[in-house]
Amino acid sequence: MPDEPSIGQNLARLRGQTGLTQQELADASGVSVATIRKLERDGRSTALMGTLAKLARALDVKPSALLGQPQALRQEDGERTASVAVLRRSIHALDEMPGVPVTVEEREGPALDELRRTVRILWQAYHDGRHALLIGGLPDLIGGAKAAVRSLRGEGAREAAADLSRGYQLAAHAAVHLAQDDLARSALDRAMLAADAAEDPLLVAAGCTGLSWVLLRQNEPELAARIAVAKAAELNPRVSPSDYPALRMWGRLMLCAVTAASRQEDHDGAKELLDETRRCTTVVRDDATDYTNGGNYAFFGPAKIDMIAVEVAVSQGRSGEALRLAKRVTPSRRVPPTGRSRHLLDVAQAQTWESQFTPAVSTLTRVREATPEWMRYQVLARVIVRQIVEGKGRRRIDGLLPLVEHLNGRTG
């Protein structure tokens, strides 16, 4: 947006705070000094993710700091502050810390079918982009699952532990959207412990996909790729209907590795991993989303693979190739709303880079109509709208002002 700093302005500010010259930053990051000068001089709102990752690592910040995502809560962020507080209380329960004189009223654990129904409702809320519903329901889910674990034995306790793991994974993903990556890491620690207690290897693998995502956000693509590839190799499912759940989880892990390789500008590695992932579509022929088992990363199939191919092309700056690949993405009602919207942001980015501003506004409008609440949390949406505003000149584009107002929280 016009009143928000560009990538180039953020870069100049952060570089100034570290005391580095442009040449020193170039030497430290591996990004050419000409690129750094161009970014800062033009105040540009566009840069490849690989370039941003290198600059961010040299500056010891997250790539989102260059894009303009808030790294700390401000006093005026009332709703966001309240959401983070709810998450923090859900994840860091004081009664679980030894030596802390805080007790909570003992509660009876809910029935396992009630827990499972709540898990399904909240995962669907996540995929629909309804963050208020998701965050509001997490305390009861996590608290109820912990009570059930305490009160049950044997198989019942393992089932309750599985639902506790799913609850913590939900909390982790909500925390990521609120730019609270460290809180997400804490939630994933607890999710993995609960998945281990549940003796559920697919839930452990789901936790690894979440961890890979958080590591990508924290500018650790090499570590993210290593975890995803190692866990995928550990699963090692057969391309067979009998291994269908494990095969879907393997595919999600592989796509995490694809994204991580692309962020490291390992283009050949990303293509090789993507091609290998496509092998499983002889069995996984549709993009089903299981809202209970495997959590967020149960969304996987041919359309998701094609969407990641578009994402990779965008991350490499190949906008024309991205738009060509986007035509291969088949419409499917089984792709969840946020999955489709995330893909459309990549399409809008490619359209903007091609100076197709009117189509880009139409694409972003589809995102707003499908997932209005989710869109407000997406820093990429703000970056793209800012690029359109800067690039359109005096031309009037129908639909642009409503997007600006929506991202500024002035419309619904």
Side-chain angles (χ1 to χ4, degrees):
M1 259 66 72
D3 57 345
E4 295 184 352
S6 66
I7 291 172
Q9 291 168 328
N10 287 327
L11 175 60
R13 174 177 55 81
L14 292 167
R15 182 178 60 77
Q17 289 173 358
T18 63
L20 293 174
T21 66
Q22 291 179 333
Q23 184 61 60
E24 288 170 339
L25 178 57
D27 294 339
S29 65
V31 176
S32 72
V33 70
T35 297
I36 293 171
R37 285 172 180 160
K38 185 171 180 58
L39 280 169
E40 293 189 2
R41 182 177 63 248
D42 297 345
R44 291 174 59 194
S45 299
T46 301
L48 301 184
M49 280 306 302
T51 300
L52 289 181
K54 289 179 178 180
L55 291 169
R57 181 168 295 186
L59 292 167
D60 195 24
V61 298
K62 301 172 187 175
S64 54
L66 291 170
L67 287 169
Q69 183 171 6
Q71 304 300 300
L73 294 176
R74 300 167 298 183
Q75 187 172 358
E76 60 267 29
D77 294 332
E79 182 179 342
R80 186 164 171 261
T81 302
S83 296
V84 172
V86 170
L87 282 176
R88 187 175 290 117
R89 286 194 295 267
S90 299
I91 296 167
H92 295 306
L94 293 178
D95 61 303
E96 295 181 352
M97 298 178 67
V100 177
V102 174
T103 58
V104 294
E105 183 180 349
E106 283 293 324
R107 59 181 290 184
E108 183 179 349
L112 290 175
D113 60 346
E114 182 183 342
L115 269 179
R116 188 58 53 88
R117 184 166 54 251
T118 302
V119 166
R120 181 179 179 84
I121 289 170
L122 294 186
W123 270 116
Q124 185 149 10
Y126 174 82
H127 281 294
D128 289 347
R130 292 178 290 158
H131 288 87
L133 174 61
L134 165 61
I135 292 171
L138 280 173
D140 277 345
L141 171 59
I142 292 175
K146 287 195 290 189
V149 169
R150 287 193 297 266
S151 63
L152 296 172
R153 297 291 180 271
E155 183 61 27
R158 286 190 288 274
E159 289 186 35
D163 287 327
L164 179 58
S165 178
R166 296 177 181 112
Y168 277 130
Q169 287 190 43
L170 272 164
H173 288 80
V176 167
H177 283 291
L178 289 166
Q180 301 296 304
D181 297 344
D182 289 336
L183 191 57
R185 286 280 291 266
S186 295
L188 286 169
D189 286 344
R190 289 160 174 75
M192 299 290 270
L193 288 171
D196 189 57
E199 300 177 11
D200 188 333
L202 290 188
L203 272 180
V204 174
C208 286
T209 59
L211 180 57
S212 292
W213 183 30
V214 173
L215 287 169
L216 276 174
R217 288 180 53 88
Q218 294 183 323
N219 208 16
E220 295 284 356
E222 183 180 353
L223 186 54
R226 193 188 317 158
I227 289 172
V229 169
K231 182 56 68 173
E234 189 177 301
L235 281 179
N236 193 28
R238 294 167 295 173
V239 182
S240 162
S242 63
D243 268 6
Y244 185 75
L247 191 59
R248 288 170 56 82
M249 190 58 66
W250 175 87
R252 283 300 309 160
L253 286 161
M254 291 294 286
L255 291 185
C256 287
V258 169
T259 300
S262 180
R263 294 284 178 87
Q264 295 176 84
E265 298 186 343
D266 180 6
H267 306 326
D268 291 338
K271 183 181 184 304
E272 183 178 332
L273 288 165
L274 194 61
D275 289 343
E276 185 177 353
T277 308
R278 287 190 190 279
R279 291 191 300 110
C280 70
T281 57
T282 58
V283 173
V284 183
R285 298 180 179 179
D286 202 355
D287 292 75
T289 302
D290 185 338
Y291 292 113
T292 300
N293 297 301
N296 177 49
Y297 290 95
F299 163 39
F300 175 75
K304 179 62 178 177
I305 294 172
D306 288 338
M307 289 176 180
I308 292 295
V310 174
E311 178 185 313
V312 168
V314 168
S315 73
Q316 296 171 3
R318 297 184 289 115
S319 52
E321 176 74 358
L323 294 177
R324 184 185 69 78
L325 291 171
K327 295 178 180 178
R328 292 175 47 178
V329 178
T330 55
S332 172
R333 292 183 178 180
R334 307 191 78 179
V335 173
T338 53
R340 174 67 60 179
S341 289
R342 178 61 187 84
H343 165 65
L344 289 176
L345 288 184
D346 284 326
V347 173
Q349 178 66 96
Q351 290 170 328
T352 302
W353 283 345
E354 293 286 311
S355 298
Q356 299 176 13
F357 299 127
T358 298
V361 167
S362 297
T363 301
L364 290 170
T365 299
R366 289 171 61 191
V367 174
R368 178 173 61 85
E369 291 172 347
T371 51
E373 187 178 351
W374 175 89
M375 188 183 192
R376 283 192 176 127
Y377 289 91
Q378 305 308 307
V379 65
L380 179 57
R382 295 178 176 275
V383 169
I384 297 169
V385 169
R386 190 165 63 229
Q387 291 170 8
I388 295 171
V389 170
E390 292 172 355
K392 71 181 181 61
R394 296 180 176 273
R395 189 174 8 145
R396 182 179 181 277
I397 300 178
D398 291 338
L400 180 57
L401 181 58
L403 288 172
V404 173
E405 291 179 338
H406 178 75
L407 291 174
N408 284 335
R410 292 199 290 268
T411 63

